[in-house]
Amino acid sequence: MPSIRATHFTKLVKQPAANLLFILIFMCHKTDFSLIETAADVITDPKFSFPIANVTASVGREAFLTCVVQDLGSFKVAWLRVDTQTILTIQNHVITKNQRIGITNSEHKTWTMKIKDIKESDKGWYMCQINTDPMKSQMGYLDVVVPPDILDYPTSTDMVVREGSNVTLKCAATGSPEPTITWRRENGVAIELANGTEVLSVEGVNLVLPRVKRQHMGAYLCIASNGVPPSVSKRITLIVHFPPMITVQNQLIGAVESKGVTLECQSEAFPKSINYWTRERGDIVPPGGKYTSNVTEIGEYRSSMKLHINLLTQAEFGAYRCVAKNSLGDTDGTIKLYRIPPNAVNYVENAEGRYKGNNKKRVKSSELYHQSKMTDGGSEEAENPGKRKDMILGNELEDGYYDSAAVAEHCQHHKLTVTATLLFTTSLLLRKVAPLIDV
C-alpha cells in the first residue's frame, strides 16, 4: 500500500504548472535526500577484485595485507583476526589497542593493513570483511619466520675429559622453520667418527665421539641455519687430558771433541708438561755455561726439547735423559752421546767426495760408533790408516753395502794380482754370507 507522501508526489507530477515548484521543494527537503540515497544503496553490489595474497615476514620486520574492493558504495570494510575473532580495523579507524596495527586506503578501493615490528604470535589467518547482508569476506595468511637461535641449555659448554673417554657434544636451537644443526672443527681439520671415517662436517643435534684421542682436542662449531638469515653458531672447546709421552728420533749421536752438538726430543702432554734434561745418573743439567736448553711448542699438546752443548770435552760424553712431567704422570727418553775421532770424520768427508753422485749411504752412525770404540781401544789402528780403511770397507759389507768399484780400488792400491783380487773378493763375500749359513 503506497504511503501518503507517495500519493501526494503522484498528484503533483500530474500538474505541469507545479513541476518547477515541486523540484525546488524536493531538492531542499532533507527527507527526500534520504530517499535518493536509499535508492543508490539498493543498486550497489560490492565485491572483491583480487584474493588476498599470503605474506611471509621475518620477526622484527613489517607486513602488509591488502584487500581490494569494487563498488563499495556506502558499505564498510573491516579487518579481523580469524583465530581470536578480534576486530582490528573498520574503514580508516583502528579498533584494536595494538599500536603496531595501522590502516590505509586508496581511492576507497584498496584497504591495506600494516603490522609493524612483527612477532611470532602474529602468525595466522586474517579476514577482510564487507558488511553486506549476507556478509562478504576473504582471508589471507601471514607466516612469520624466525632466524635460528642457539639455546644455552641443553647446549654443551667447554669440556675437559680424559683420553679414552666417550664424549657427546649437544646443540639445541629454536627458529621457524626448525633449524638444521651442523658440526665443524674450527681449524678445518676432519672429524674422526666412531667407524674410523673422517668427514669435514656432521649433521645432527648430537656429535658423538667415542674413545676420544688427543687428536680430537680443539674447538668445535655448532652451526644452526633454517634459510632465514642470519645463521648462528656456538664455539665449544674440547680439552683432552693425557700423561706425557716422549719420542726420540736419534738415540745414538756421535760428536767430535771440542765441537758443539744439539740433542733433541719431542714430547706430547696435556696439561702442558714441565720439561728438563738430566745426565744418566739423574743429575739435572744446569742451564747456562756449556749447556743451552729450550722448549718450542709445535701444537696444542706437542713440544720440541733441545739441548745444545758447546765445546765438548771428554766429561760431556755419555747418556742424557729428556724428562717430561705433568699432573697425570711423567716419562723420559735417553740419548747416547759418543765420541768420534777427528781422523774418522776426515775419512767420511773424503769418502763422500769420492763417491759423489752415488745415492748409497756410505757410513752409518753405528759404524762410526764402533770405529770410535776400536780407535779408543788402541793406537795401532790410528797409526795404520790402511788397516782402518780395510775395517771400514768390511763394515760396509756387514751393513749390506757391497761396491765392486771400492774393492777394485782397494786391490789396486795394494797392487794385488787378478787371482789375489778374486780371492780377496771371495773372502769378503763369505764374511757376509757366513752368518746366514749359521742361522
Side-chain angles (χ1 to χ4, degrees):
M1 179 175 182
S3 64
I4 297 175
R5 182 176 299 177
T7 303
H8 180 68
F9 173 76
T10 303
K11 290 180 179 180
L12 288 175
V13 170
K14 291 181 178 180
Q15 298 178 11
N19 284 348
L20 181 60
L21 179 63
F22 167 76
I23 292 172
L24 293 174
I25 295 172
F26 180 78
M27 292 181 62
C28 298
H29 202 284
K30 182 177 181 180
T31 304
D32 291 340
F33 266 121
S34 300
L35 291 175
I36 295 175
E37 289 180 359
T38 303
D41 289 343
V42 171
I43 64 174
T44 301
D45 184 21
K47 50 184 170 293
F48 297 107
S49 301
F50 306 101
I52 300 175
N54 295 331
V55 176
T56 300
S58 299
V59 168
R61 302 296 181 87
E62 296 180 344
F64 298 88
L65 294 170
T66 301
C67 181
V68 181
V69 180
Q70 181 180 351
D71 299 329
L72 180 61
S74 61
F75 293 101
K76 301 186 185 313
V77 173
W79 279 100
L80 296 84
R81 178 74 185 260
V82 175
D83 55 352
T84 61
Q85 291 296 307
T86 304
I87 299 176
L88 304 177
T89 68
I90 298 178
Q91 289 294 88
N92 290 323
H93 304 287
V94 177
I95 304 303
T96 179
K97 295 181 180 179
N98 188 344
Q99 297 181 355
R100 297 183 294 112
I101 302 292
I103 186 71
T104 58
N105 81 85
S106 175
E107 299 179 354
H108 211 60
K109 294 181 179 180
T110 303
W111 302 86
T112 301
M113 181 177 64
K114 175 182 177 182
I115 307 176
K116 299 185 297 183
D117 190 18
I118 290 290
K119 297 181 179 179
E120 192 172 3
S121 58
D122 294 327
K123 179 190 297 186
W125 290 95
Y126 291 82
M127 178 185 291
C128 176
Q129 184 182 96
I130 304 174
N131 64 335
T132 56
D133 187 16
M135 176 265 294
K136 294 181 179 182
S137 65
Q138 62 176 356
M139 294 188 298
Y141 189 78
L142 172 62
D143 188 18
V144 179
V145 293
V146 184
D149 183 32
I150 295 178
L151 303 176
D152 291 334
Y153 179 82
T155 300
S156 300
T157 57
D158 295 347
M159 301 179 66
V160 179
V161 298
R162 285 291 297 267
E163 191 171 34
S165 303
N166 296 327
V167 173
T168 300
L169 301 180
K170 299 180 179 181
C171 186
T174 60
S176 180
E178 184 177 354
T180 299
I181 305 298
T182 304
W183 294 91
R184 297 180 185 273
R185 296 194 68 170
E186 188 178 51
N187 56 8
V189 176
I191 301 173
E192 184 178 347
L193 303 179
N195 58 6
T197 59
E198 294 185 347
V199 294
L200 291 177
S201 63
V202 177
E203 287 193 3
V205 175
N206 296 334
L207 176 63
V208 180
L209 302 173
R211 298 182 299 278
V212 293
K213 299 180 290 187
R214 61 197 67 181
Q215 290 82 4
H216 286 114
M217 183 158 54
Y220 291 79
L221 297 178
C222 156
I223 305 170
S225 58
N226 64 351
V228 182
S231 297
V232 292
S233 65
K234 182 175 181 179
R235 184 176 186 269
I236 302 171
T237 302
L238 177 63
I239 300 174
V240 181
H241 281 187
F242 58 94
M245 182 185 75
I246 281 186
T247 303
V248 181
Q249 292 184 349
N250 297 316
Q251 296 181 331
L252 193 61
I253 296 179
V256 179
E257 194 171 343
S258 76
K259 300 286 186 178
V261 68
T262 299
L263 312 181
E264 182 177 2
C265 298
Q266 287 192 355
S267 67
E268 296 181 7
F270 207 90
K272 294 186 182 298
S273 58
I274 300 173
N275 301 327
Y276 58 92
W277 293 85
T278 69
R279 294 300 301 268
E280 50 191 329
R281 294 183 179 180
D283 301 333
I284 296 178
V285 176
K290 287 190 174 184
Y291 299 99
T292 303
S293 63
N294 62 74
V295 178
T296 303
E297 293 185 4
I298 301 176
E300 290 180 305
Y301 55 85
R302 187 180 293 114
S303 300
S304 174
M305 302 172 55
K306 290 184 180 180
L307 177 66
H308 184 73
I309 309 173
N310 296 314
L311 300 176
L312 287 166
T313 64
Q314 188 64 35
E316 279 78 51
F317 292 102
Y320 289 81
R321 294 171 57 236
C322 47
V323 183
K325 289 184 178 182
N326 70 2
S327 58
L328 303 178
D330 61 83
T331 187
D332 63 77
T334 302
I335 298 178
K336 177 73 174 181
L337 179 62
Y338 65 90
R339 177 178 173 273
I340 298 178
N343 47 16
V345 175
N346 293 335
Y347 176 77
V348 172
E349 293 175 352
N350 293 334
E352 290 176 351
R354 184 165 62 252
Y355 297 110
K356 186 176 182 181
N358 193 333
N359 291 330
K360 293 180 180 178
K361 183 179 179 182
R362 284 305 184 187
V363 180
K364 296 182 178 180
S365 61
S366 58
E367 296 169 2
L368 294 178
Y369 175 70
H370 293 304
Q371 180 188 345
S372 66
K373 298 294 289 185
M374 295 176 184
T375 306
D376 291 342
S379 60
E380 179 182 358
E381 296 176 358
E383 295 173 357
N384 190 345
K387 182 177 180 180
R388 184 171 65 253
K389 189 171 183 180
D390 294 342
M391 180 192 67
I392 292 177
L393 184 59
N395 285 340
E396 290 178 353
L397 290 170
E398 291 173 1
D399 288 328
Y401 303 120
Y402 173 74
D403 194 333
S404 58
V407 174
E409 181 184 350
H410 174 81
C411 295
Q412 184 179 2
H413 176 75
H414 291 280
K415 297 180 181 180
L416 298 178
T417 63
V418 175
T419 304
T421 301
L422 291 174
L423 291 175
F424 177 74
T425 305
T426 304
S427 65
L428 291 178
L429 291 173
L430 287 175
R431 291 174 58 189
K432 179 63 178 176
V433 175
L436 299 175
I437 297 175
D438 293 339
V439 175

